[in-house]
Amino acid sequence: MKIIVPMAGMGKRMRPHTLTVPKPLIPIAGKPIVHRLVEDIAKVCAEPVEEVAFIIGRSFGKEVEQDLIKIAESVGGKGTIHYQDEALGTAHAILCAQSALDGHVVVAFADTLFKADFTLDTSVDGTIWVQSVEDPKPFGVVKLDAAGQITDFVEKPQEFVSDLAIIGIYYFKDGEYLKRELQYLLDNNIMDKGEYQLTNALENMKNKGTQFVPGRVTEWLDCGNKDATVYTNQRYLEFLQERGEKLTASSAQVTNSVIIEPVYLGENVQIINSVVGPHVSVGAGSRISGSVVANSIVQQSATIEHANLAGSMIGSHATLSSKSLDLSVGDYNTMRL
């Protein structure tokens, strides 16, 4: 099995966090988004992962590339790096990793996570992973026939045609066939809104007889902006707690504090005179003292002192310090600080 992971953009909607690190490397419950994604795909695959091909921008740097190689190795595969120098669409991005497009291939865009309880059926022509949504208008959706096969792809339908939204993960039985269809779009300059789109290749393949089936996930978690990422961190902590996974590193120190599970505490974290949780991830080397922190992501080597945080993201090496207050508040007064 090959896993193709397009992640060329830094992520403008996640600024300021993505000014220094690409969005797919922002941590969810202690691991980068893309690491969680690759692990979860590997779990539903019925065969070993041979290669993980990451499509990135050259500006990501060598340190990021080395981290990505380690992610591939953690699931037993070889990591390869491929560059997309121009943002020319999803089809163009995938084709940048054309050397990896052979045999069984999963394509997964690196701004989404999921929960699924199925094992991928590699005998089918292709699988498009979907989830039912209340309002399908903002999404690409699929229509099914009576046999459960995909008959149509509809981008952002303004009138109801289906509630099965495409989440951005795809399986192809024949990677070479996918590569030819993607190359056909580029060779014939077939574009949609100025970009080469994977959905055009899917439509062409379907018209040639390729049978696509839906892979239904039980939960789809977006990491497109700060609020969505904080919520994804919340749900992922709950998943890990359900699995019985250890969430606190043995080197983490908790002193005179209350931890309200689920909470992830990385290596050498210090929690002092604080209340932390629920749904908080604290990265390695961070220190929280005299604070109340809930439903938040604190990245590596950050310092938080005398703060009251909820629904927040604090970047690596950031310092947030508020003065302790010495107050005398009379009866029936209301203070908002």
Side-chain angles (χ1 to χ4, degrees), residues 95-111:
L95 198 56
C96 289
Q98 59 181 289
S99 62
L101 291 174
D102 62 77
H104 295 174
V105 169
V106 170
V107 174
F109 291 91
D111 59 356

Side-chain angles (χ1 to χ4, degrees), residues 8-302:
M10 290 290 284
K12 292 181 180 180
R13 290 188 297 160
M14 284 286 284
R15 290 179 179 176
H17 299 281
T18 53
L19 291 173
T20 55
V21 63
K23 180 173 67 174
L25 293 184
I26 290 174
I28 295 293
K31 289 184 181 180
I33 293 168
V34 67
H35 194 162
R36 294 287 184 194
L37 175 64
V38 169
E39 282 185 337
D40 287 345
I41 292 172
K43 287 175 184 176
V44 302
C45 288
E47 56 190 57
V49 175
E50 177 184 345
E51 178 181 355
V52 184
F54 299 97
I55 298 133
I56 66 173
R58 294 183 190 273
S59 62
F60 281 28
K62 293 300 179 184
E63 184 176 349
V64 168
E65 294 179 17
Q66 291 170 1
D67 290 342
L68 295 174
I69 297 297
K70 291 177 183 177
I71 289 172
E73 292 172 347
S74 74
V75 297
K78 175 182 69 173
T80 57
I81 303 298
H82 310 264
Y83 302 109
Q84 185 184 27
D85 293 319
E86 293 182 86
L88 295 178
T90 53
H92 176 266
I94 298 165
L95 198 56
C96 289
Q98 59 181 289
S99 62
L101 291 174
D102 62 77
H104 295 174
V105 169
V106 170
V107 174
F109 291 91
D111 59 356
T112 189
L113 293 173
F114 67 94
K115 183 181 181 183
D117 56 9
F118 64 84
T119 299
L120 183 64
D121 181 0
T122 56
S123 68
V124 301
D125 291 343
T127 302
I128 299 174
W129 297 13
V130 299
Q131 190 196 29
S132 297
V133 294
E134 290 185 7
D135 180 11
K137 291 180 181 178
F139 305 104
V141 301
V142 299
K143 291 179 64 177
L144 307 181
D145 62 16
Q149 293 184 351
I150 295 172
T151 60
D152 292 285
F153 306 98
V154 183
E155 187 66 27
K156 298 181 180 179
Q158 295 309 297
E159 295 183 2
F160 183 84
V161 295
S162 169
D163 65 353
L164 295 178
I166 300 171
I167 74 168
I169 306 176
Y170 311 79
Y171 164 72
F172 301 91
K173 185 177 180 179
D174 186 347
E176 287 279 1
Y177 177 31
L178 172 63
K179 178 166 62 176
R180 291 194 300 271
E181 292 299 324
L182 297 175
Q183 189 64 56
Y184 177 83
L185 299 180
L186 272 66
D187 290 345
N188 292 276
N189 200 33
I190 299 173
M191 307 180 82
D192 185 1
K193 298 179 182 177
E195 294 184 336
Y196 300 103
Q197 301 293 357
L198 174 60
T199 49
N200 292 125
L202 297 177
E203 187 68 30
N204 290 341
M205 295 167 77
K206 178 181 68 69
N207 292 338
K208 293 179 179 178
T210 302
Q211 295 181 337
F212 290 105
V213 298
R216 300 196 188 210
V217 300
T218 55
E219 190 155 359
W220 173 23
L221 299 169
D222 181 32
C223 300
N225 56 43
K226 186 270 288 183
D227 289 343
T229 303
V230 168
Y231 177 72
T232 292
N233 180 71
Q234 171 187 328
R235 292 295 295 135
Y236 219 94
L237 285 170
E238 292 171 353
F239 298 162
L240 296 176
Q241 186 180 46
E242 290 170 7
R243 296 175 192 167
E245 294 194 21
K246 183 180 179 182
L247 294 177
T248 299
S250 56
S251 59
Q253 299 178 18
V254 178
T255 305
N256 193 32
S257 298
V258 176
I259 304 298
I260 305 172
E261 302 292 349
V263 168
Y264 170 84
L265 302 179
E267 295 289 347
N268 300 311
V269 162
Q270 297 180 58
I271 309 294
I272 304 166
N273 300 327
S274 297
V275 178
V276 175
H279 306 121
V280 175
S281 292
V282 186
S286 288
R287 184 178 187 272
I288 298 175
S289 65
S291 299
V292 178
V293 183
N295 195 33
S296 296
I297 300 171
V298 180
Q299 299 186 45
Q300 295 185 11
S301 302

